[in-house]
Amino acid sequence: MKRSGKYVSNLKGSLSYQSFKPSNLPPYPNINIDDTLSNKIKSAYHLLGELNGISKFIPNRDLFISILIRKEALLSSQIEGNQATLNDIFDPNLGQNINNDIDEVIHYIKAYNYGKSLLKKLPISIRFIKEVHRELLLFQRGKDKEPGKLRRLENWIGPAGGTLKNAKFIPPNLDDIHESLKHLEMYIHNYNEIDPLLKIGLIHYQFETIHPFLDGNGRMGRLLILFLLEHYKLLDNDILYLSYYLKLNRFEYYERLMDVRLKGNYEAWLLFFIEGIIESANHAIDTIDALFSLKEKHLKLVNSLTGKQKQTALLLYDYITVHPIINITKASITINKSFNTVSNTVNIFINLGILVQAKSKKRNRTFIYGSYLDILRDGTN
């Protein structure tokens, strides 16, 4: 058996193929933590500490995190070829303009929220993963992929329209899935001496290699990273998302995973993963700084107003930091002001350079907090 696992022969004759059964974690020999990896780990923890400090001073933290998770959901789905855009996700008429790509992103958000609530009742386990996966795939295009159920058919990674014969990688067969998942669950809760960040990287690799579902394995594996960061108490709030880094480095991401399977090179994968933590943390810090600098700038303009005009403007400004694309009807209902009052305030915001009217032929006009969306849009194009 190689360090990373072994090939298992299945069926006979012309139907024969070899699936890959990964070795149980932790790897043997143990991970070699050289000076480069050690220094990267130290940098990662320094940045996580900085993020924890920043998160304590974020006003309306839950609402702010809900903005970030929408971007993460979009990026994680785009890694798999999803064509939705940031504007799609914030469209105030989302219910009327929904399609399969948008629906997929929405269900990623639902799966995240469901998993967060489920963590209060269940430990991270195979049962937990199956329940979150069910939420992830409960949309039109995913419903025929057996949401929440371990696959009962072989699947493989390879060219579009390919078969088992020309697959680049065939994950464990049906019998080996159950054994591998059982050991993975044990590893998650085995508090050995390995660094928690390295452990999360190993768990992500192992889950992607087991590939236990017919569909959604990549998205579920990236959701699992978020839940593990909480499980191992590495972050106080969910403001670190790796899909930004993994999408920018998508081909290396897949190559590093494959390199472990083929060569047992866990160290190169873990170095890539820790570099992802560092880059994602820096990106999160830069994004938070940019959003709050913009907010400070625009609140000065809003606070220069007077009387009831200022009162409505403050309410509307809070609203657009959660809904950066708005229509007046929905905004007026949410902030409990009349349509005309909100319409007048929107015009003030346009004159102040905060909002712009969307160029659209749709009957319901929409207005965009463009400078805010531009900051969030980084990496999503």
Side-chain angles (χ1 to χ4, degrees):
M1 178 183 284
K2 296 188 302 183
R3 187 186 188 200
S4 57
K6 66 178 181 179
Y7 288 96
V8 177
S9 296
N10 302 272
L11 303 179
K12 294 182 179 180
S14 62
L15 298 176
S16 66
Y17 65 93
Q18 287 194 318
S19 58
F20 182 79
K21 181 181 180 182
S23 299
N24 297 328
L25 297 175
Y28 181 82
N30 292 333
I31 298 300
N32 176 31
I33 303 177
D34 62 13
D35 289 344
T36 301
L37 183 54
S38 178
N39 289 333
K40 293 284 186 182
I41 294 169
K42 290 174 185 175
S43 297
Y45 276 108
H46 174 78
L47 288 165
L48 291 179
E50 189 173 344
L51 270 176
N52 270 330
I54 291 170
S55 71
K56 291 179 172 64
F57 299 98
I58 297 175
N60 301 319
R61 187 164 50 238
D62 289 345
L63 291 176
F64 184 76
I65 289 171
S66 75
I67 290 281
L68 296 183
I69 190 60
R70 276 183 264 184
K71 178 176 178 178
E72 164 66 11
L74 177 63
L75 287 168
S76 186
S77 299
Q78 285 180 339
I79 290 172
E80 310 295 332
N82 189 295
Q83 298 299 308
T85 68
L86 198 69
N87 282 36
D88 291 331
I89 304 310
F90 288 108
D91 186 349
N93 303 309
L94 192 59
Q96 291 80 44
N97 299 327
I98 203 160
N99 60 37
N100 279 330
D101 280 351
I102 298 170
D103 212 7
E104 181 176 281
V105 179
I106 290 171
H107 277 79
Y108 189 102
I109 299 167
K110 288 182 177 179
Y112 162 81
N113 288 326
Y114 180 71
K116 290 289 289 183
S117 63
L118 195 60
L119 275 176
K120 298 173 184 175
K121 299 178 284 186
L122 277 181
I124 295 180
S125 58
I126 305 312
R127 178 186 168 191
F128 172 89
I129 290 170
K130 286 163 68 175
E131 290 206 26
V132 174
H133 181 265
R134 177 172 52 81
E135 292 296 313
L136 183 67
L137 259 66
L138 271 183
F139 65 102
Q140 191 60 43
R141 194 163 59 193
K143 281 194 284 190
D144 63 345
K145 304 292 186 180
E146 299 193 326
K149 295 180 181 179
L150 300 180
R151 58 181 167 87
R152 293 175 289 181
L153 298 171
E154 299 291 7
N155 62 5
W156 58 90
I157 297 170
T163 67
L164 283 167
K165 290 296 182 184
N166 62 357
K168 185 178 180 182
F169 172 71
I170 302 173
N173 63 37
L174 309 189
D175 291 332
D176 290 339
I177 286 174
H178 294 273
E179 183 182 345
S180 294
L181 285 175
K182 180 184 73 174
H183 284 284
L184 179 59
E185 182 177 307
M186 291 169 60
Y187 181 73
I188 290 171
H189 297 285
N190 177 15
Y191 288 89
N192 51 29
E193 294 181 1
I194 192 168
D195 178 87
L197 282 178
L198 294 182
K199 189 167 186 175
I200 293 172
L202 289 172
I203 292 167
H204 181 74
Y205 157 77
Q206 194 81 344
F207 180 83
E208 295 306 318
T209 298
I210 297 169
H211 233 65
F213 301 110
L214 275 181
D215 192 28
N217 293 287
R219 282 166 286 148
M220 185 64 236
R222 290 185 286 276
L223 274 172
L224 191 55
I225 293 172
L226 305 182
F227 300 137
L228 288 166
L229 285 167
E230 177 176 337
H231 175 74
Y232 293 127
K233 297 180 170 55
L234 297 179
L235 276 177
D236 296 333
N237 296 283
D238 293 340
I239 54 176
L240 179 74
Y241 304 101
L242 261 72
S243 289
Y244 169 81
Y245 170 81
L246 297 176
K247 183 192 171 191
L248 289 178
N249 300 278
R250 180 166 57 239
F251 297 112
E252 186 177 358
Y253 173 35
Y254 294 139
E255 285 174 3
R256 291 299 179 194
L257 291 174
M258 190 60 69
D259 211 33
V260 181
R261 297 159 188 155
L262 297 177
K263 302 175 184 177
N265 196 350
Y266 290 94
E267 286 78 8
W269 157 250
L270 289 172
L271 182 60
F272 173 81
F273 182 79
I274 297 299
E275 286 173 343
I277 297 287
I278 292 169
E279 188 166 330
S280 299
N282 276 319
H283 179 252
I285 291 166
D286 290 345
T287 299
I288 292 167
D289 285 347
L291 289 174
F292 281 93
S293 293
L294 185 71
K295 183 174 183 179
E296 184 179 15
K297 171 187 171 183
H298 285 159
L299 276 177
K300 282 183 181 178
L301 297 175
V302 172
N303 280 312
S304 68
L305 304 173
T306 57
K308 292 183 177 179
Q309 193 177 72
K310 176 181 176 180
Q311 181 189 49
T312 303
L314 287 169
L315 290 172
L316 184 62
Y317 187 78
D318 280 345
Y319 180 78
I320 66 173
T321 58
V322 181
H323 309 279
I325 303 177
I326 68 167
N327 67 37
I328 293 173
T329 300
K330 286 189 176 181
S332 64
I333 293 169
T334 303
I335 69 173
N336 198 26
K337 296 291 181 180
S338 72
F339 180 95
N340 288 338
T341 299
V342 174
S343 181
N344 290 334
T345 307
V346 165
N347 286 329
I348 291 170
F349 277 17
I350 290 172
N351 291 331
L352 291 174
I354 298 173
L355 290 176
V356 294
Q357 183 173 339
K359 296 177 181 178
S360 173
K361 296 179 181 179
K362 296 174 184 175
R363 182 178 178 184
N364 294 321
R365 293 183 302 161
T366 57
F367 301 87
I368 300 175
Y369 191 3
S371 49
Y372 190 86
L373 272 181
D374 286 344
I375 295 168
L376 291 173
R377 191 172 283 112
D378 180 30
T380 67
N381 293 327

